Amino acid sequence: MRRQSELAFNGVSASGPDRPQWIETSVQGTVSSVVFASEDGAYAVIRLENTQHGESVLVGALAAVAEGQDIEAWGQWERHKEHGRQFRVKRFEALLPTTEEGVRRYLASGIIPGIGPKLADRIVDRFGVETLSILDHYSARLLEIPGFGKGRLKQIKDAWSSQSERREIYIFLQGLGLSAAYCDRVYRKYAANAVEIVKENPYRLAREVKGIGFRMADAIARHLNIAPDNPFRLGAGASYVLATMAEQQGHTCVPRDVLLIEAARLLAVEEDVAATGLQRAVEDGTAVVDSAAEEPLVYPTDLYRAECDLAQIIAGMTSGSGLPTLPPQALARSRNWTMLNEAQQTAVLNVFQHPISIITGGPGVGKTTVTREIVAIANSLNWNVALAAPTGRAAKRLSESSQAHAQTIHRLLKWEPELSGFAHNSDNPLKHHLVIIDEVSMLDIHLAASLFRAFSAETRVVLVGDRDQLPSVGPGSFLRDLIESKCVLATHLSEVYRQAGGSQIIVSAHRVNAGQLPEMQPPQSSGELSDFYWIEQEDQEKLVDVVCRMAAERIPKRFNFSPQTDIQILSPMNRGVCGANNLNTRMQAALNPPRTEGWTPEMTYGDVVYRAGDRVMQISNNYDYQVFNGDLGRMLQIDTKQKNFTVRYESNTVTYAFDEVDQIRLAYAITIHKSQGSEFPVVIVPVLNQHYVMLQRNLIYTAMTRAAKLLIMIGAKKALSIAVHNVNQATRHSQLAERLQM
């Protein structure tokens, strides 16, 4: 057994026989090289020379560190499976170098604009270890150096002053518990005013600095001894609870009493005190209280405007529309009219007789056929038709199935970065006679409102989707609310096409949607191939092995699908042994490992390594780059010199700076929620009892309907049964249906 000191040295302190406990320690030394540093300081890898451990590798949040700089860092020793022993930094403090060589390297690093290696040598040769003191207090003495003019003196004096100011601000912020990465973000946001702003109202950081939420701002406030009942705190807490419930639970509004209970719990105050916080949030413009309902409802301001705008626009479109109706006999223009069943004919007819119509139904019921027929009739009338979907993959599918051009909603509306808004809006509406939107279940309240604001009085709108799929990732339940309001004519297609009925994927999906288990056919070693298989496996570790072998080897060999482009793993969750995160690590090792010869350009963000060739997903909307939450792409290259990386998506290619890596994730495996609107040739779905909190019918149904040619489900029959029979979907608070009925 190792001694206590030996355990502590390796970052572990054994406080009990089976309960190791991580402890924090520190290292101090001189930065010998910066191996990698993101632009925002969120992550860096450096080599540190120190007398205790020799040369050490430090990783973590190390903002603005420079070669030759002396630092003291606090954190934990750990052993990386690929890179060996390293020190993970939690926080650090910059120290001014104390040796002549350290000063020389510090100045030569370029940390002070105007001082390069040659000038650094001249300055240090003249002043030695006193150089930094000279810069601090006697900068005019630089004129003693031959050839050193007053213009250069002013440039260096100003730069050194700025650097000193930044250092002092960092020391202040780090003293409040902020990591170096967040110090850098705060400084970039507020510059010289950072200290003053943070002291006055640290809760501004939660609204204005990326990554700093209420809880971090609250911790800063405690360091500053701000009272628990401070109005800034109460208002920020109420806004945080409201925004969190919208983001995580999909609500557009929250009952006032529920909000006050949650806000009081967060703030550790009485509900009447939390009520003053809500009033402050209303006064600040971040919340709206709607008292028109049976019980007062509280909205984030932007969601209130979106919901009200939607209700007003849709009500205006459906009441007394001046659009001419197409008589039924005009449908004789269609060559395929007699091939449509009665429900499909009704769906088509509704489009040409009403300003807004909905077409909903599961897979194989002919939504594509109906859409294609609507487009054909509209073209015969010489109408200007637009087709769009929420994501690039969904738009591509719509284009292929309808045999007409389709695009994303964002491209249809034309995002303009300089305006931070869409070019097409109420002041500049779309000029189309007919707009067809597919995968409408994916529309959150924000995007739906932006879309309807852009419709003119001369535009007919067709909304196509599956009401039984998962609701949108963002807040609201637009499609379901619209159908339940009964203010918009909706046609539900349910008859499965004969050719679709031959697909076990479609048959099984409809069985699940009806509350029945699918026929669980195991893979056969010989005989006719199916498009749906069930593999029983209850052990988590074994399941991961099976999933990875199926994706990387067995499916490509037996069915001739590419593991890089055709096969997608869909997990109910991100975390856990069978979660998307772990599956991504395993699949990357199988499909895109480091090269055995030569050096593979890679970058590290946290514990995730990215390499050229990796399958990745955009996880947030970036309007400037025209890539959006859920877009899938492949990393083309990583440029360590320019500190950027390039990803090719289906619709465009984007070059990101290193500090934008938090916008992407590995995507060999993704969550079922993130797969909405996409279709893949092959889908593999793990289903285990460990996924219990996520096991719902619409989740499994959505996963199954993502597969176009082959669906393989692996897991425990009990877990699948739980999901199929669980229809207790969490209710999303929304008033859209009620507003439409007013």
Side-chain angles (χ1 to χ4, degrees):
M1 181 182 293
R2 291 177 294 177
R3 295 175 300 183
Q4 176 82 22
S5 60
E6 198 175 358
L7 290 169
F9 179 80
N10 286 281
V12 178
S13 174
S15 57
D18 300 311
R19 299 184 64 184
Q21 184 179 15
W22 293 103
I23 63 170
E24 187 175 81
T25 185
S26 68
V27 294
Q28 184 174 326
T30 304
V31 179
S32 57
S33 65
V34 179
V35 181
F36 166 78
S38 64
E39 294 293 332
D40 67 349
Y43 189 81
V45 180
I46 68 170
R47 297 188 183 277
L48 189 75
E49 293 180 355
N50 62 88
T51 57
Q52 187 178 7
H53 307 297
E55 187 175 70
S56 303
V57 176
L58 275 61
V59 301
L62 292 152
V65 292
E67 188 175 316
Q69 187 175 2
D70 287 0
I71 66 169
E72 184 172 8
W74 290 263
Q76 299 158 347
W77 288 102
E78 64 180 26
R79 185 165 296 278
H80 193 277
K81 61 183 179 181
E82 294 183 14
H83 305 297
R85 189 168 178 268
Q86 57 188 24
F87 189 84
R88 182 162 295 277
V89 177
K90 301 293 185 184
R91 56 190 176 91
F92 83 99
E93 182 176 320
L95 308 172
L96 293 178
T98 57
T99 66
E100 185 172 310
E101 181 59 25
V103 173
R104 191 183 304 275
R105 291 168 65 180
Y106 179 62
L107 292 183
S109 69
I111 195 167
I112 309 299
I115 301 181
K118 291 184 179 179
L119 183 55
D121 283 339
R122 291 166 60 193
I123 295 173
V124 177
D125 287 345
R126 178 68 179 87
F127 300 112
V129 295
E130 301 297 324
T131 296
L132 300 185
S133 178
I134 295 293
L135 289 171
D136 268 334
H137 306 293
Y138 310 103
S139 57
R141 288 193 61 190
L142 293 175
L143 295 174
E144 298 174 12
I145 299 172
F148 207 100
K150 291 184 178 180
R152 176 172 282 185
L153 172 64
K154 185 178 185 307
Q155 179 189 8
I156 291 175
K157 186 177 180 179
D158 291 345
W160 179 252
S161 176
S162 176
Q163 181 67 20
S164 300
E165 173 190 85
R166 181 177 180 177
R167 188 168 62 250
E168 292 300 318
I169 291 173
Y170 272 49
I171 291 172
F172 169 76
L173 295 174
Q174 288 181 327
L176 299 176
L178 283 181
S179 70
Y182 287 118
C183 291
D184 197 50
R185 293 179 186 181
V186 172
Y187 182 78
R188 288 201 292 179
K189 177 68 178 178
Y190 304 122
N193 299 319
V195 173
E196 180 184 351
I197 289 172
V198 172
K199 285 183 176 179
E200 179 186 358
N201 180 13
Y203 296 98
R204 281 185 59 177
L205 304 180
R207 300 194 308 269
E208 300 173 358
V209 179
K210 181 183 178 182
I212 298 183
F214 172 81
R215 295 184 183 279
M216 189 179 296
D218 204 35
I220 295 169
R222 287 195 296 271
H223 278 286
L224 294 170
N225 295 317
I226 291 176
D229 61 351
N230 181 281
F232 289 136
R233 179 175 188 264
L234 298 177
S239 297
Y240 170 76
V241 170
L242 192 58
T244 300
M245 295 182 80
E247 179 181 345
Q248 297 182 358
Q249 301 174 34
H251 303 308
T252 62
C253 56
V254 181
R256 183 180 182 275
D257 291 345
V258 173
L259 176 67
L260 292 182
I261 291 171
E262 294 300 320
R265 183 180 293 119
L266 171 74
L267 297 166
V269 298
E270 298 296 326
E271 287 183 31
D272 59 339
V273 179
T276 66
L278 173 57
Q279 184 58 39
R280 178 69 187 225
V282 171
E283 293 170 358
D284 290 341
T286 60
V288 173
V289 179
D290 185 357
S291 301
E294 292 183 6
E295 57 178 329
L297 297 169
V298 187
Y299 288 79
T301 301
D302 58 334
L303 297 184
Y304 178 75
R305 291 171 180 165
E307 189 176 281
C308 290
D309 285 357
L310 260 178
Q312 183 178 1
I313 294 168
I314 293 172
M317 293 176 71
T318 55
S319 63
S321 172
L323 289 174
T325 60
L326 187 69
Q329 57 267 29
L331 295 174
R333 298 169 182 267
S334 168
R335 293 179 299 175
N336 301 313
W337 180 253
T338 58
M339 299 174 61
L340 304 179
N341 63 39
E342 184 178 351
Q344 292 171 329
Q345 290 178 350
T346 300
V348 174
L349 187 60
N350 287 341
V351 170
F352 297 97
Q353 293 187 328
H354 299 274
I356 310 176
S357 58
I358 298 171
I359 303 170
T360 183
V365 298
K367 297 194 298 294
T368 295
T369 301
V370 170
T371 301
R372 193 160 50 234
E373 198 65 19
I374 293 168
V375 172
I377 295 172
N379 287 337
S380 72
L381 297 169
N382 294 318
W383 282 10
N384 186 346
V385 181
L387 292 89
T391 67
R393 292 186 71 89
K396 183 180 180 181
R397 285 175 53 208
L398 177 60
S399 183
E400 292 171 349
S401 62
S402 65
Q403 300 173 0
H405 172 70
Q407 58 192 315
T408 64
I409 294 172
H410 295 86
R411 288 186 180 275
L412 174 68
L413 300 180
K414 294 182 180 177
W415 178 262
E416 294 190 350
E418 61 275 10
L419 300 176
S420 295
F422 292 110
H424 290 294
N425 49 41
S426 57
D427 297 323
N428 180 31
L430 296 164
K431 307 298 184 184
H432 301 286
H433 298 100
L434 175 68
V435 176
I436 301 174
I437 306 297
D438 198 14
E439 296 288 354
V440 179
S441 62
M442 295 181 65
L443 290 188
D444 62 27
I445 198 75
H446 283 299
L447 189 55
S450 295
L451 185 63
F452 273 81
R453 289 174 184 135
F455 292 145
S456 71
E458 291 74 38
T459 300
R460 295 176 190 268
V461 179
V462 184
L463 305 174
V464 184
D466 187 346
R467 66 185 181 187
D468 295 319
Q469 288 192 31
L470 289 169
S472 59
V473 175
S477 50
F478 172 67
L479 178 59
R480 187 171 291 274
D481 285 349
L482 214 55
I483 293 172
E484 289 181 356
S485 75
K486 296 184 173 22
C487 295
V488 176
L489 203 61
T491 306
H492 181 66
L493 306 180
S494 58
E495 182 179 341
V496 179
Y497 268 41
R498 185 173 63 182
Q499 59 266 36
S503 166
Q504 288 303 307
I505 296 174
I506 291 175
V507 171
S508 298
H510 280 281
R511 285 180 63 88
V512 166
N513 201 35
Q516 302 171 5
L517 286 174
E519 294 182 4
M520 297 178 170
Q521 179 181 354
Q524 303 295 322
S525 58
S526 62
E528 186 177 351
L529 296 177
S530 176
D531 63 356
F532 170 63
Y533 297 99
W534 169 263
I535 300 174
E536 186 75 18
Q537 180 53 256
E538 298 187 12
D539 183 270
Q540 292 188 83
E541 294 291 348
K542 291 180 179 178
L543 184 144
V544 171
D545 289 339
V546 173
V547 168
C548 293
R549 274 203 318 275
M550 294 289 290
E553 301 171 15
R554 295 175 63 182
I555 292 174
K557 182 178 180 179
R558 185 151 190 209
F559 295 90
N560 198 33
F561 288 110
S562 168
Q564 288 282 7
T565 59
D566 296 333
I567 302 172
Q568 184 63 61
I569 302 169
L570 302 181
S571 175
M573 304 171 67
N574 270 314
R575 299 178 180 177
V577 176
C578 300
N581 294 340
N582 186 49
L583 288 166
N584 271 319
T585 301
R586 294 285 298 273
M587 288 302 301
Q588 184 192 49
L591 299 180
N592 194 29
R595 296 177 186 172
T596 56
E597 297 182 0
W599 179 67
T600 305
E602 49 182 50
M603 59 180 178
T604 303
Y605 181 70
D607 294 328
V608 181
V609 177
Y610 294 94
R611 303 186 185 100
D614 275 336
R615 191 172 186 171
V616 296
M617 170 180 278
Q618 177 80 16
I619 61 169
S620 61
N621 291 336
N622 189 320
Y623 295 100
D624 295 340
Y625 293 161
Q626 288 290 289
V627 288
F628 305 100
N629 192 352
D631 285 354
L632 289 166
R634 190 163 302 278
M635 191 168 292
L636 294 182
Q637 64 178 16
I638 299 172
D639 191 329
T640 55
K641 292 184 179 179
Q642 297 297 321
K643 295 184 177 180
N644 59 38
F645 62 95
T646 303
V647 178
R648 181 172 62 212
Y649 297 96
E650 290 187 351
S651 57
N652 61 338
T653 299
V654 177
T655 297
Y656 300 80
F658 272 176
D659 64 351
E660 296 175 307
V661 68
D662 60 345
Q663 296 184 30
I664 66 167
R665 293 287 186 275
L666 291 176
Y668 300 98
I670 61 176
T671 64
I672 297 170
H673 281 85
K674 287 291 189 182
S675 74
Q676 290 175 260
S678 295
E679 186 177 80
F680 310 95
V682 182
V683 167
I684 303 174
V685 186
V687 184
L688 283 177
N689 294 326
Q690 286 78 4
H691 298 142
Y692 182 83
V693 295
M694 300 298 295
L695 294 180
Q696 295 180 341
R697 182 186 298 173
N698 61 348
L699 185 89
I700 299 300
Y701 174 72
T702 299
M704 297 176 75
T705 56
R706 301 307 91 199
K709 298 179 180 180
L710 178 63
L711 170 65
I712 296 181
M713 302 185 73
I714 307 174
K717 185 176 180 179
K718 181 181 178 182
L720 182 61
S721 179
I722 290 171
V724 169
H725 295 100
N726 182 13
V727 293
N728 297 320
Q729 302 176 30
T731 302
R732 292 190 169 190
H733 293 296
S734 167
Q735 286 292 105
L736 179 60
E738 288 77 5
R739 294 185 191 279
L740 287 168
Q741 293 168 343
M742 290 181 179

